[in-house]
Amino acid sequence: ARKLTSVNAQVTVKMEYTPKVYQHSAGLILYYDNMNYLYLRKYYSETLGQSALSIIRLENGEKTEYQDSRVPVGEEPIYLRLRISGRKTCFTWGLDGRKYERIGPDFDTSRLSDEYCKYGEFTGTMAGMICVDTMKHERWADFDFFEYFVWDKEDEV
């Protein structure tokens, strides 16, 4: 993970990952502490019977999974992007690194702050790559790159 240095930033990763069971996931995370984060993940969906992308938000310990914006995906490499523009954060994804599709709603970036978080487990807001195997702790994801880009508000891209 990398600490955010601006409220105008974009993070892009390219990832290869094949989840086998629902306890496997990997992706891109905007992390404040273990009780507050946004996680765009590729995981194995039992209801779809294949890999999918979805977003999980943990806010003061309360988990919300945005299954209404879930997208089935194959096993080819995938690009995941997080864009922060002031108080607004959104996620996109793509297969070629040029064309990206939105996934999920806009999120309020200010909720990943000292002022909002109830439990005081401060780490500071970071963006990072993540791989989770809660079954055997043996799965891994291959990330080709992690790109962190910052712009001035006047130069918004």
Side-chain angles (χ1 to χ4, degrees), residues 58-120:
L58 196 65
E59 190 170 295
N60 287 320
E62 292 187 34
K63 179 180 172 182
T64 304
E65 186 171 351
Y66 292 84
Q67 288 197 352
D68 58 336
S69 59
R70 177 177 57 182
V71 178
V73 293
E75 301 311 321
E76 65 270 26
I78 193 164
Y79 292 80
L80 305 175
R81 180 171 281 169
L82 160 68
R83 183 172 174 81
I84 303 164
S85 184
R87 290 180 171 252
K88 184 174 82 172
T89 295
C90 67
F91 289 102
T92 58
W93 70 280
L95 297 175
D96 63 6
R98 292 184 299 276
K99 182 182 173 199
Y100 287 84
E101 296 180 38
R102 283 273 313 241
I103 182 169
D106 288 340
F107 296 94
D108 183 353
T109 313
S110 71
R111 292 186 175 192
L112 298 172
S113 67
D114 289 349
E115 293 75 22
Y116 185 78
C117 298
K118 290 181 181 178
Y119 301 105

Side-chain angles (χ1 to χ4, degrees), residues 12-17 25-29 39-40 78 80 128-132 140-146:
T12 307
V13 299
K14 180 181 179 187
M15 177 183 78
E16 291 181 57
Y17 184 66
S25 67
L28 183 59
I29 192 165
Y39 177 23
L40 173 58
I78 193 164
L80 305 175
M129 304 169 285
I130 182 171
C131 183
V132 178
W140 51 270
D142 184 16
F143 291 90
D144 288 357
F145 64 84
F146 178 94

Side-chain angles (χ1 to χ4, degrees), residues 117-136:
C117 298
K118 290 181 181 178
Y119 301 105
E121 298 182 24
F122 172 76
T123 59
T125 308
M126 296 183 243
M129 304 169 285
I130 182 171
C131 183
V132 178
D133 176 358
T134 59
M135 185 177 180
K136 291 187 176 182

Side-chain angles (χ1 to χ4, degrees), residues 42-55:
K42 182 178 181 181
Y43 71 106
Y44 183 80
S45 168
E46 290 184 328
T47 56
L48 295 176
Q50 71 177 84
S51 293
L53 292 177
S54 76
I55 298 170

Side-chain angles (χ1 to χ4, degrees), residues 6-11 82-86 149-157:
S6 174
V7 293
N8 297 304
Q10 180 173 283
V11 178
L82 160 68
R83 183 172 174 81
I84 303 164
S85 184
F149 175 75
V150 173
W151 67 91
D152 291 327
K153 185 146 183 69
E154 298 81 37
D155 301 331
E156 186 159 339
V157 292

